[in-house]
């Protein structure tokens, strides 16, 4: 059975073409469109069909009708709306709040109108503020203007008994912000719940924001809570879709605080080998042949049994590992060097998702302090000969290059050492859950 595909109606094809010319810049913002008659002649149709096609673009917010002058491409300059700015410090100028400062920085003219009222809250506001039936709220209603055009509304609701008699009841901008005022009243907001709803506007919103036909709005509702989980403020922002780009900034989470370093246990050999394996995969992705073999679990197990293998944890998540012993590998270190009291570093790995936080530097400092506390003279290690970046890393952390040794069947051999007790003091603090004796094993890595 064949499916009959009807061509798109002509008025939609007219809208498609003009929309494309707006999108590719052929019709620039502010440009005047051909008259309805000209469009009808171009498409060999009626003026009614041309008007219907233009109506589609008007409803999409791309075109404005300015009779009798004609139809024009709308100059759309979306404002970047950043919900995460809620708790940022505000400008101190009483004449310029954060919204106005942002637009001023962008070279645009910003203003706002503020009204304050005491109202019976809607069911939605009452539930968010956990108010009883009949309790009143104070609301600060704002209409914010950009270049003379109403851009968004910002209505903040507060339990009346919290803010009665305060400057929140004054219809003026509060330079330091209503959040600060609430904090001064003993109701500091420490967290917020954000909700975003997208819908067509209500008649009131159309009137307040002078919205054209077919313009959707995003409603951003923010409920602010105190440390005791008491809701003290609900903000309702109405953001016309043709005037805003809602922008969230996300950043890589920082470490939760001081990290813990402790000896690995026998049942954590899988954690150590997984850290090692992830590092090997990353090295391979960069074309470095270091550690491109299966982890030597018997050696790792021996190090764990001897109390020489350590895990660094952020909370209960292992983010790094390091192994320390007193064994001087005879393939690399001379008999004279082996006789010198030193602590040797092996298998130091930091998870890639916390790289850049100088955890490696912190582990090397910790190893240096361990060596000093044990009365040793040196912290030593051998690095992969072909991994120049790794060697630069150690040089940048106070190690001196002793020499490079080429031993049969060994790809490592770039030897480095640093005086015991030498620390750079860079990177997170490493805390031991309990004092532990420095490594004393003389077994091989």
């Amino acid at each position: 059975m064949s499916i009959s595909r009807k061509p798109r109606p002509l008025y939609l094809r007219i809208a498609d073409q003009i929309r494309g010319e707006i999108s590719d810049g052929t019709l620039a913002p502010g440009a005047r469109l051909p008259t309805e008659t000209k469009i009808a002649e171009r498409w060999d149709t009626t003026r009614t069909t041309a008007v219907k096609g233009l109506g589609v673009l008007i409803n999409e917010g791309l075109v404005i009708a300015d009779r009798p002058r004609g139809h024009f491409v709308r100059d759309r300059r979306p404002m970047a709306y950043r919900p995460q700015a809620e708790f940022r410090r505000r400008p101190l100028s009483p004449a310029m709040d954060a919204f106005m400062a942002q637009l001023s920085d962008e070279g645009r003219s910003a203003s706002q109108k503020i009204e304050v009222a005491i109202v019976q809250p809607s069911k939605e506001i009452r539930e968010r503020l956990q108010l009883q039936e009949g309790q009143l709220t104070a609301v600060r209603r704002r209409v914010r203007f950009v270049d003379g055009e109403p851009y968004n509304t910002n209505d903040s609701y507060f339990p009346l008994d919290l803010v009665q008699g305060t400057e929140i009841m004054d219809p003026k901008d509060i330079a330091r912000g209503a959040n600060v005022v609430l904090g001064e009243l003993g109701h500091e907001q420490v967290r917020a719940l954000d909700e975003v709803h997208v819908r067509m506007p209500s008649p009131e919103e159309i009137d307040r924001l002078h919205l054209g036909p077919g313009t959707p709005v995003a409603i951003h509702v923010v409920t602010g809570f105190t440390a005791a989980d008491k809701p003290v403020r609900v903000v309702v922002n109405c953001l016309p879709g043709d005037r805003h780009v809602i922008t969230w900034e996300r950043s890589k989470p920082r470490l939760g605080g001081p990290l813990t370093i402790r000896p690995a246990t026998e049942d954590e050999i899988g954690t150590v080998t997984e850290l090692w394996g992830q590092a090997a995969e990353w090295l391979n992705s960069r074309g470095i042949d270091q550690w491109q073999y299966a982890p030597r679990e018997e050696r790792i197990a021996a190090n764990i049994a001897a109390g020489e293998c350590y895990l660094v944890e952020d909370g209960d998540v292992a983010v790094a590992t390091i192994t320390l012993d007193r064994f001087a590998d005879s393939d690399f270190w001379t008999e004279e060097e082996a006789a010198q009291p030193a602590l040797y570093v092996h298998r130091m790995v930091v998870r890639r998702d916390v790289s850049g936080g100088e955890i490696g530097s912190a582990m090397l400092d910790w190893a240096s302090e361990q060596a000093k506390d044990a009365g040793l003279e040196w912290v030593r290690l051998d690095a992969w000969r072909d991994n120049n970046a790794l060697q630069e890393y150690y040089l940048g952390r106070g190690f001196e290059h002793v020499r490079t040794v080429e031993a049969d069947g060994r790809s490592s051999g770039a030897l480095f050492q640093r005086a015991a007790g030498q620390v750079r003091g860079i990177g997170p603090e490493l805390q031991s859950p309990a004092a532990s004796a420095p490594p004393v094993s003389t077994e091989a890595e």
Side-chain angles (χ1 to χ4, degrees):
M1 177 179 175
S2 63
I3 299 175
S4 174
R5 295 185 181 275
K6 295 182 179 180
R8 280 169 65 78
L10 183 56
Y11 78 94
L12 290 179
R13 284 183 277 151
I14 292 173
D16 291 344
Q17 174 148 349
I18 296 174
R19 187 189 300 108
E21 292 173 353
I22 294 173
S23 177
D24 66 17
T26 302
L27 289 171
R32 182 176 179 175
L33 272 61
T35 65
E36 297 159 357
T37 300
K38 290 288 187 184
I39 294 173
E41 291 175 354
R42 177 181 178 184
W43 288 84
D44 192 21
T45 187
T46 65
R47 183 171 172 273
T48 300
T49 301
V51 170
K52 194 173 180 181
L54 289 169
V56 171
L57 300 173
I58 291 171
N59 286 340
E60 292 177 357
L62 296 176
V63 169
I64 57 174
D66 185 8
R67 300 186 184 278
R69 296 175 60 231
H71 294 83
F72 296 83
V73 177
R74 185 169 185 176
D75 185 4
R76 293 160 54 111
R77 298 183 63 192
M79 167 189 160
Y81 176 80
R82 299 180 174 89
Q84 72 278 1
E86 170 75 10
F87 295 119
R88 291 182 181 172
R89 292 185 176 87
R90 292 161 55 98
L92 297 178
S93 167
M96 185 175 292
D97 74 354
F99 160 76
M100 298 175 70
Q102 173 192 332
L103 274 297
S104 178
D105 290 343
E106 295 174 5
R108 306 177 74 177
S109 172
S111 60
Q112 58 188 335
K113 291 181 180 179
I114 303 175
E115 299 175 350
V116 176
I118 297 174
V119 300
Q120 190 74 247
S122 67
K123 179 176 181 290
E124 291 77 11
I125 298 297
R126 186 175 69 249
E127 290 178 349
R128 287 180 174 87
L129 286 174
Q130 299 177 12
L131 300 177
Q132 298 297 319
E133 187 80 36
Q135 279 189 270
L136 299 178
T137 58
V139 57
R140 290 174 60 85
R141 301 184 189 273
R142 303 177 193 236
V143 179
R144 290 168 160 168
F145 297 81
V146 179
D147 300 330
E149 179 182 8
Y151 248 57
N152 60 52
T153 61
N154 170 269
D155 299 340
S156 298
Y157 294 83
F158 308 85
L160 182 60
D161 58 354
L162 292 188
V163 299
Q164 183 78 65
T166 72
E167 59 195 293
I168 286 176
M169 303 300 296
D170 190 351
K172 296 178 181 177
D173 183 59
I174 303 171
R176 66 192 188 284
N179 286 347
V180 176
V181 174
L182 283 174
E184 294 168 353
L185 295 171
H187 307 291
E188 181 185 7
Q189 295 172 91
V190 298
R191 70 178 181 89
L193 173 66
D194 292 270
E195 306 167 62
V196 177
H197 311 265
V198 180
R199 57 171 171 76
M200 297 309 293
S202 68
E204 180 189 7
E205 291 160 348
I206 291 172
D207 183 60
R208 292 178 76 187
L209 290 166
H210 303 175
L211 300 179
T215 304
V217 293
I219 305 299
H220 176 216
V221 182
V222 186
T223 306
F225 296 83
T226 66
D229 275 342
K230 177 182 179 180
V232 293
R233 184 187 189 192
V234 173
V235 183
V236 181
N237 301 281
C238 181
L239 313 168
D242 61 344
R243 304 170 200 177
H244 294 83
V245 175
I246 301 178
T247 305
W248 269 273
E249 296 173 4
R250 296 187 294 167
S251 58
K252 183 178 178 180
R254 296 188 176 183
L255 298 168
L259 305 182
T260 299
I261 186 166
R262 61 169 179 81
T265 62
E266 291 183 5
D267 60 353
E268 291 175 321
I269 185 171
T271 301
V272 177
T273 57
E274 184 176 356
L275 287 168
W276 188 93
Q278 289 180 1
E281 289 179 7
W282 179 77
L283 290 166
N284 182 58
S285 71
R286 296 174 62 87
I288 300 172
D289 66 353
Q290 181 176 345
W291 292 353
Q292 299 308 300
Y293 48 82
R296 294 165 179 165
E297 295 190 11
E298 70 286 351
R299 293 189 182 182
I300 296 173
N303 291 137
I304 290 176
E308 300 163 345
C309 178
Y310 295 82
L311 288 174
V312 176
E313 294 179 315
D314 180 14
D316 58 355
V317 177
V319 295
T321 183
I322 189 172
T323 295
L324 305 174
D325 63 29
R326 298 192 188 183
F327 175 76
D329 193 321
S330 59
D331 281 348
F332 301 140
W333 304 96
T334 66
E335 290 186 8
E336 181 181 355
E337 290 167 336
Q340 297 169 349
L343 196 60
Y344 294 84
V345 175
H346 312 280
R347 218 180 294 113
M348 188 176 82
V349 176
V350 176
R351 269 175 53 152
R352 297 309 306 166
D353 57 358
V354 294
S355 64
E358 292 287 354
I359 296 177
S361 294
M363 287 192 290
L364 293 171
D365 279 356
W366 180 81
S368 183
E369 291 172 338
Q370 293 282 299
K372 179 183 177 182
D373 291 346
L376 307 179
E377 295 181 7
W378 299 104
V379 175
R380 288 174 172 164
L381 58 91
D382 57 270
W384 212 258
R385 293 196 307 270
D386 295 336
N387 193 338
N388 295 327
L390 180 61
Q391 295 179 38
E392 290 294 327
Y393 174 88
Y394 289 123
L395 289 172
R397 280 145 188 80
F399 281 79
E400 62 174 313
H401 178 229
V402 179
R403 65 184 175 277
T404 297
V405 176
E406 295 193 16
D408 290 342
R410 306 290 297 274
S411 296
S412 193
L415 309 184
F416 293 85
Q417 66 182 15
R418 191 172 88 178
Q422 179 182 339
V423 298
R424 297 174 70 240
I426 297 176
E429 178 185 356
L430 299 185
Q431 297 179 344
S432 298
S436 56
V440 295
S441 173
T442 58
E443 292 192 301
E445 179 252 347

